[in-house]
mmCIF file of all heavy atoms in Angstrom:
data_model
loop_
_atom_site.group_PDB
_atom_site.id
_atom_site.type_symbol
_atom_site.label_atom_id
_atom_site.label_comp_id
_atom_site.label_asym_id
_atom_site.label_seq_id
_atom_site.Cartn_x
_atom_site.Cartn_y
_atom_site.Cartn_z
ATOM 1 N N ILE A 120 -3.103 1.819 -19.633
ATOM 2 C CA ILE A 120 -2.415 1.845 -18.287
ATOM 3 C C ILE A 120 -3.386 2.431 -17.237
ATOM 4 O O ILE A 120 -3.418 1.897 -16.173
ATOM 5 C CB ILE A 120 -1.205 2.798 -18.521
ATOM 6 C CG1 ILE A 120 -0.174 1.970 -19.388
ATOM 7 C CG2 ILE A 120 -0.531 2.995 -17.131
ATOM 8 C CD1 ILE A 120 1.059 2.874 -19.773
ATOM 9 N N VAL A 121 -4.100 3.445 -17.496
ATOM 10 C CA VAL A 121 -5.052 3.930 -16.540
ATOM 11 C C VAL A 121 -6.101 2.915 -16.222
ATOM 12 O O VAL A 121 -6.526 2.815 -14.998
ATOM 13 C CB VAL A 121 -5.725 5.289 -17.137
ATOM 14 C CG1 VAL A 121 -6.874 5.696 -16.178
ATOM 15 C CG2 VAL A 121 -4.706 6.404 -17.261
ATOM 16 N N LYS A 122 -6.617 2.268 -17.250
ATOM 17 C CA LYS A 122 -7.701 1.216 -16.999
ATOM 18 C C LYS A 122 -7.040 0.142 -16.029
ATOM 19 O O LYS A 122 -7.822 -0.342 -15.113
ATOM 20 C CB LYS A 122 -8.053 0.557 -18.228
ATOM 21 C CG LYS A 122 -9.254 -0.316 -18.215
ATOM 22 C CD LYS A 122 -10.533 0.477 -17.792
ATOM 23 C CE LYS A 122 -11.746 -0.363 -17.850
ATOM 24 N NZ LYS A 122 -13.012 0.380 -17.425
ATOM 25 N N VAL A 123 -5.782 -0.220 -16.144
ATOM 26 C CA VAL A 123 -5.199 -1.227 -15.317
ATOM 27 C C VAL A 123 -5.180 -0.688 -13.846
ATOM 28 O O VAL A 123 -5.509 -1.405 -12.995
ATOM 29 C CB VAL A 123 -3.814 -1.579 -15.840
ATOM 30 C CG1 VAL A 123 -3.003 -2.345 -14.708
ATOM 31 C CG2 VAL A 123 -3.858 -2.370 -17.067
ATOM 32 N N MET A 124 -4.705 0.610 -13.733
ATOM 33 C CA MET A 124 -4.493 1.083 -12.442
ATOM 34 C C MET A 124 -5.785 1.415 -11.733
ATOM 35 O O MET A 124 -5.798 1.548 -10.459
ATOM 36 C CB MET A 124 -3.703 2.433 -12.508
ATOM 37 C CG MET A 124 -2.217 2.215 -12.977
ATOM 38 S SD MET A 124 -1.397 1.022 -11.947
ATOM 39 C CE MET A 124 -1.421 1.753 -10.287
ATOM 40 N N GLN A 125 -6.895 1.499 -12.454
ATOM 41 C CA GLN A 125 -8.183 1.674 -11.737
ATOM 42 C C GLN A 125 -8.661 0.451 -10.955
ATOM 43 O O GLN A 125 -9.584 0.540 -10.149
ATOM 44 C CB GLN A 125 -9.232 2.004 -12.836
ATOM 45 C CG GLN A 125 -9.153 3.437 -13.407
ATOM 46 C CD GLN A 125 -10.106 3.665 -14.520
ATOM 47 O OE1 GLN A 125 -10.660 2.774 -15.193
ATOM 48 N NE2 GLN A 125 -10.320 4.956 -14.835
ATOM 49 N N ASN A 126 -7.977 -0.670 -11.199
ATOM 50 C CA ASN A 126 -8.260 -1.823 -10.390
ATOM 51 C C ASN A 126 -7.566 -1.858 -9.047
ATOM 52 O O ASN A 126 -7.809 -2.641 -8.180
ATOM 53 C CB ASN A 126 -7.834 -3.068 -11.083
ATOM 54 C CG ASN A 126 -8.626 -3.317 -12.399
ATOM 55 O OD1 ASN A 126 -9.670 -3.997 -12.316
ATOM 56 N ND2 ASN A 126 -8.149 -2.817 -13.606
ATOM 57 N N ALA A 127 -6.631 -0.846 -8.830
ATOM 58 C CA ALA A 127 -5.956 -0.640 -7.549
ATOM 59 C C ALA A 127 -5.620 0.738 -7.403
ATOM 60 O O ALA A 127 -4.397 1.123 -7.374
ATOM 61 C CB ALA A 127 -4.787 -1.578 -7.506
ATOM 62 N N PRO A 128 -6.542 1.588 -7.245
ATOM 63 C CA PRO A 128 -6.366 3.083 -7.217
ATOM 64 C C PRO A 128 -5.350 3.592 -6.214
ATOM 65 O O PRO A 128 -4.671 4.617 -6.318
ATOM 66 C CB PRO A 128 -7.676 3.660 -7.089
ATOM 67 C CG PRO A 128 -8.536 2.604 -6.490
ATOM 68 C CD PRO A 128 -7.993 1.353 -7.004
ATOM 69 N N GLU A 129 -5.247 2.867 -5.053
ATOM 70 C CA GLU A 129 -4.353 3.300 -3.928
ATOM 71 C C GLU A 129 -3.142 2.539 -3.795
ATOM 72 O O GLU A 129 -2.280 2.759 -2.913
ATOM 73 C CB GLU A 129 -5.156 3.297 -2.545
ATOM 74 C CG GLU A 129 -6.391 4.160 -2.493
ATOM 75 C CD GLU A 129 -6.126 5.602 -2.802
ATOM 76 O OE1 GLU A 129 -5.012 6.080 -2.429
ATOM 77 O OE2 GLU A 129 -6.979 6.259 -3.416
ATOM 78 N N ASP A 130 -2.934 1.513 -4.667
ATOM 79 C CA ASP A 130 -1.745 0.696 -4.605
ATOM 80 C C ASP A 130 -0.803 0.981 -5.767
ATOM 81 O O ASP A 130 -1.233 1.626 -6.706
ATOM 82 C CB ASP A 130 -2.190 -0.798 -4.710
ATOM 83 C CG ASP A 130 -2.904 -1.320 -3.529
ATOM 84 O OD1 ASP A 130 -2.818 -0.553 -2.439
ATOM 85 O OD2 ASP A 130 -3.475 -2.349 -3.574
ATOM 86 N N THR A 131 0.404 0.558 -5.702
ATOM 87 C CA THR A 131 1.401 0.600 -6.708
ATOM 88 C C THR A 131 1.076 -0.544 -7.753
ATOM 89 O O THR A 131 0.401 -1.477 -7.388
ATOM 90 C CB THR A 131 2.804 0.482 -6.261
ATOM 91 O OG1 THR A 131 3.047 -0.799 -5.754
ATOM 92 C CG2 THR A 131 3.099 1.550 -5.141
ATOM 93 N N ILE A 132 1.624 -0.440 -8.907
ATOM 94 C CA ILE A 132 1.493 -1.527 -9.926
ATOM 95 C C ILE A 132 2.132 -2.761 -9.395
ATOM 96 O O ILE A 132 1.660 -3.933 -9.636
ATOM 97 C CB ILE A 132 2.104 -1.168 -11.219
ATOM 98 C CG1 ILE A 132 2.003 -2.201 -12.279
ATOM 99 C CG2 ILE A 132 3.591 -0.694 -11.079
ATOM 100 C CD1 ILE A 132 0.600 -2.566 -12.590
ATOM 101 N N PHE A 133 3.164 -2.605 -8.515
ATOM 102 C CA PHE A 133 3.821 -3.832 -7.995
ATOM 103 C C PHE A 133 2.909 -4.528 -6.977
ATOM 104 O O PHE A 133 2.957 -5.771 -6.910
ATOM 105 C CB PHE A 133 5.180 -3.408 -7.378
ATOM 106 C CG PHE A 133 5.983 -2.432 -8.229
ATOM 107 C CD1 PHE A 133 6.446 -1.239 -7.677
ATOM 108 C CD2 PHE A 133 6.203 -2.732 -9.521
ATOM 109 C CE1 PHE A 133 7.120 -0.370 -8.445
ATOM 110 C CE2 PHE A 133 6.902 -1.864 -10.334
ATOM 111 C CZ PHE A 133 7.393 -0.655 -9.766
ATOM 112 N N ASP A 134 2.229 -3.751 -6.159
ATOM 113 C CA ASP A 134 1.206 -4.369 -5.273
ATOM 114 C C ASP A 134 0.144 -5.101 -6.009
ATOM 115 O O ASP A 134 -0.221 -6.204 -5.631
ATOM 116 C CB ASP A 134 0.675 -3.320 -4.356
ATOM 117 C CG ASP A 134 1.658 -2.644 -3.429
ATOM 118 O OD1 ASP A 134 2.486 -3.393 -2.861
ATOM 119 O OD2 ASP A 134 1.558 -1.408 -3.252
ATOM 120 N N LEU A 135 -0.339 -4.426 -7.076
ATOM 121 C CA LEU A 135 -1.298 -5.159 -7.881
ATOM 122 C C LEU A 135 -0.898 -6.432 -8.469
ATOM 123 O O LEU A 135 -1.610 -7.457 -8.444
ATOM 124 C CB LEU A 135 -1.721 -4.134 -8.989
ATOM 125 C CG LEU A 135 -2.854 -4.687 -10.047
ATOM 126 C CD1 LEU A 135 -4.152 -5.029 -9.284
ATOM 127 C CD2 LEU A 135 -3.058 -3.663 -11.120
ATOM 128 N N LEU A 136 0.291 -6.411 -9.086
ATOM 129 C CA LEU A 136 0.856 -7.671 -9.666
ATOM 130 C C LEU A 136 1.146 -8.703 -8.583
ATOM 131 O O LEU A 136 0.864 -9.935 -8.791
ATOM 132 C CB LEU A 136 2.159 -7.356 -10.366
ATOM 133 C CG LEU A 136 2.116 -6.647 -11.734
ATOM 134 C CD1 LEU A 136 3.505 -6.187 -12.175
ATOM 135 C CD2 LEU A 136 1.379 -7.515 -12.735
ATOM 136 N N SER A 137 1.594 -8.336 -7.431
ATOM 137 C CA SER A 137 1.799 -9.281 -6.331
ATOM 138 C C SER A 137 0.467 -9.911 -5.851
ATOM 139 O O SER A 137 0.440 -11.127 -5.560
ATOM 140 C CB SER A 137 2.371 -8.553 -5.129
ATOM 141 O OG SER A 137 3.740 -8.067 -5.390
ATOM 142 N N ARG A 138 -0.584 -9.120 -5.939
ATOM 143 C CA ARG A 138 -1.912 -9.631 -5.430
ATOM 144 C C ARG A 138 -2.443 -10.595 -6.584
ATOM 145 O O ARG A 138 -3.115 -11.606 -6.242
ATOM 146 C CB ARG A 138 -2.887 -8.528 -5.247
ATOM 147 C CG ARG A 138 -4.159 -8.984 -4.611
ATOM 148 C CD ARG A 138 -5.050 -7.891 -4.095
ATOM 149 N NE ARG A 138 -5.439 -6.919 -5.104
ATOM 150 C CZ ARG A 138 -5.021 -5.651 -5.253
ATOM 151 N NH1 ARG A 138 -4.127 -5.142 -4.452
ATOM 152 N NH2 ARG A 138 -5.571 -4.922 -6.284
ATOM 153 N N LEU A 139 -2.224 -10.286 -7.809
ATOM 154 C CA LEU A 139 -2.823 -11.033 -8.915
ATOM 155 C C LEU A 139 -1.969 -12.395 -9.257
ATOM 156 O O LEU A 139 -2.551 -13.408 -9.475
ATOM 157 C CB LEU A 139 -2.784 -10.232 -10.116
ATOM 158 C CG LEU A 139 -3.879 -9.124 -10.265
ATOM 159 C CD1 LEU A 139 -3.659 -8.250 -11.570
ATOM 160 C CD2 LEU A 139 -5.296 -9.642 -10.171
ATOM 161 N N MET A 140 -0.672 -12.217 -9.139
ATOM 162 C CA MET A 140 0.180 -13.262 -9.599
ATOM 163 C C MET A 140 1.243 -13.789 -8.606
ATOM 164 O O MET A 140 1.886 -14.830 -8.810
ATOM 165 C CB MET A 140 1.004 -12.941 -10.890
ATOM 166 C CG MET A 140 0.121 -12.367 -12.008
ATOM 167 S SD MET A 140 1.185 -11.755 -13.422
ATOM 168 C CE MET A 140 -0.061 -10.950 -14.427
#
Side-chain angles (χ1 to χ4, degrees):
I120 292 173
V121 170
K122 191 66 176 178
V123 168
M124 292 307 298
Q125 286 174 345
N126 292 274
E129 300 300 327
D130 290 347
T131 66
I132 180 62
F133 315 129
D134 294 319
L135 176 61
L136 286 172
S137 297
R138 189 167 66 247
L139 290 173
M140 305 178 189

